[in-house]
Amino acid sequence: MPTPGAQDVYDLLEGYNLGLTTQYALTGTFGAGASVITGIDTTNLQRGMSLVGTGLPAETWVLAILTPGASGSVSINTQTTQSGAGVALLASYYQGISEMWLAKCRD
């Protein structure tokens, strides 16, 4: 049997939305030096999603959903650089192939 090539793998995984970026516009509240954002709608958030907004350092992402819901809270991997209430945030998630993703599909 021949070894599958990259196109074969791509064809096999087509339909899993690989390579797509999902984004959500949100707002949140935090104090200066905080690692928790409150008042944020966590309905569509997942661990590992990147967060961009005033007061958040580059490469900030969601560590955990602490309180689920429309007015929930999340912990982040960095500390905020300033405080803010109702700060506009953009959450993004890129769906790629990882060992964890493959394991979830397999199980």
Side-chain angles (χ1 to χ4, degrees):
M1 174 177 267
T3 303
Q7 186 62 43
D8 297 317
V9 173
Y10 178 81
D11 291 343
L12 177 67
L13 296 174
E14 190 172 6
Y16 283 98
N17 296 324
L18 297 176
L20 297 180
T21 300
T22 303
Q23 297 182 324
Y24 300 101
L26 307 163
T27 59
T29 299
F30 44 83
S35 59
V36 173
I37 300 173
T38 60
I40 186 170
D41 185 352
T42 64
T43 305
N44 294 309
L45 293 184
Q46 299 177 37
R47 183 180 186 274
M49 290 183 92
S50 68
L51 291 172
V52 176
T54 301
L56 299 182
E59 300 194 27
T60 296
W61 46 275
V62 176
L63 275 178
I65 309 291
L66 302 175
T67 309
S71 186
S73 64
V74 297
S75 63
I76 56 176
N77 68 316
T78 59
Q79 291 185 329
T80 59
T81 59
Q82 64 188 53
S83 62
V87 176
L89 304 171
L90 183 65
S92 302
Y93 184 76
Y94 177 80
Q95 180 64 50
I97 298 175
S98 67
E99 287 184 35
M100 182 187 311
W101 180 84
L102 289 172
K104 286 194 311 190
C105 288
R106 183 186 64 228
D107 298 339

